Amino acid sequence: MAAVELRPGAALAPFVARMGRYRGDHPPGRELSLPTGAVQLTVNLAEDALSRWGAAPMRVGGAGFVGPSGGPAVIDPAQQRDTVWVLFRAGGAAAFLPGGAHELRDGLVDLADVWGRDGATLRERLLSAADPVRALERVLTGRLLRGPDPALVAAARALHDGASVAATADRLGWTTRHLGRRFAAGIGLAPKRFGRVRRFQRLLRAVTAGGAPDWARLAVECGYYDQAHLVNEFRDLSGLTPGAYRPRDPAARNHVPLSPIPPEGSGRSSEA
């Protein structure tokens, strides 16, 4: 396995959390991809295809946006053998999208459908580049459509930290309905679902930090009402019980190998 990661330059830093290249020897199969609430841009340098199984099977060319998800999806780990990727900050992807981020929700969207010819030729450009990650950084810098939305950034941070939707809206002087519309357009998820996904991510980080999980303690520390609430949320957001959670490795906490391989169309996502 080889991984190269870089932090973007000043122009992209408000929009992009991290970007890099990953290479690994993964056989074909199926993995659960757990929700993070983030948008990712992925370019598959090994094969001109990306696939995802959620509410319906999705297959696009080798470059695409992976939208924010409110639940688990199924992916083929073999498509991660050689990828260049960009992980956007909350609300950051909207600066590169002609439409709103809500158009990406729970989806896998071919880059050609978003950027036209530039999207259709991006993979070939990266294949011929001496440094594909830096080449992608230059492309993104040239495609900025707008600046960051400070209000949405603040809302996402508050929800990430565990604030309620009502408290977040009140802090901004908005109604909860206005927050919902702005958040869905800029982030891609409803505020409540985003907050639940980010709390789930805090839980996964704690679980993979080492040692046998004390679920009752983790429920309190991560903001769940009690252990039963944690179990219900875990099942809703991952399709698994906490005891069945076996990530590929601690560094890949959002990837859970599946056995046996499920049929196409398995996986689910729901709004709350």
Side-chain angles (χ1 to χ4, degrees):
M1 184 185 79
V4 176
E5 184 175 314
L6 63 86
R7 294 197 176 274
L12 292 183
F15 310 96
V16 173
R18 300 189 306 277
M19 58 191 304
R21 185 177 186 179
Y22 173 86
R23 283 173 281 186
D25 185 18
H26 298 295
R30 294 290 184 268
E31 282 186 347
L32 269 183
S33 176
L34 304 184
T36 66
V39 177
Q40 186 164 311
L41 172 61
T42 300
V43 182
N44 183 354
L45 299 182
E47 176 188 4
D48 192 13
L50 294 169
S51 303
R52 186 176 177 88
W53 295 266
M58 292 169 275
R59 184 178 176 88
V60 301
F65 278 104
V66 181
S69 177
V74 178
I75 62 173
D76 182 352
Q79 292 185 349
Q80 300 170 10
R81 286 173 178 163
D82 190 357
T83 59
V84 177
W85 54 269
V86 178
L87 179 67
F88 293 96
R89 298 187 186 277
F96 305 91
L97 302 169
H102 64 283
E103 297 178 357
L104 303 179
R105 181 196 155 100
D106 293 327
L108 173 63
V109 180
D110 198 304
L111 200 60
D113 294 336
V114 182
W115 289 355
R117 177 169 174 77
D118 287 347
T121 59
L122 178 66
R123 180 175 179 272
E124 294 302 318
R125 290 177 62 182
L126 299 190
L127 281 170
S128 63
D131 186 337
V133 183
R134 289 296 183 189
L136 181 54
E137 182 182 30
R138 291 191 292 271
V139 170
L140 286 173
T141 301
R143 293 204 63 89
L144 275 169
L145 299 175
R146 60 187 71 88
D149 184 333
L152 276 183
V153 171
R157 170 53 58 185
L159 292 164
H160 172 87
D161 291 340
S164 69
V165 174
T168 301
D170 187 61
R171 184 180 305 178
L172 294 170
W174 295 351
T175 64
T176 55
R177 176 175 289 187
H178 182 71
L179 172 62
R181 287 197 300 266
R182 289 277 294 272
F183 207 86
I187 306 294
L189 293 176
K192 183 177 180 181
R193 175 63 64 165
F194 178 85
R196 291 174 61 193
V197 167
R198 289 305 176 97
R199 179 175 58 188
F200 175 65
Q201 284 295 314
R202 293 197 300 272
L203 173 64
L204 294 188
R205 282 195 294 272
V207 169
T208 54
D214 181 341
W215 296 107
R217 177 181 58 80
L218 290 173
V220 173
E221 292 180 353
C222 294
Y224 294 94
Y225 181 74
D226 56 21
Q227 186 172 342
H229 181 209
L230 180 153
V231 171
N232 289 335
E233 287 283 279
F234 204 106
R235 184 180 291 112
D236 181 55
L237 293 173
S238 72
L240 302 167
T241 63
Y245 172 64
R246 299 287 188 275
R248 184 199 299 166
D249 59 67
R253 63 177 177 270
N254 294 310
H255 295 269
V256 181
L258 290 173
S259 180
I261 295 175
E264 289 194 357
S266 66
R268 65 189 179 89
S269 176
S270 59
E271 183 53 273

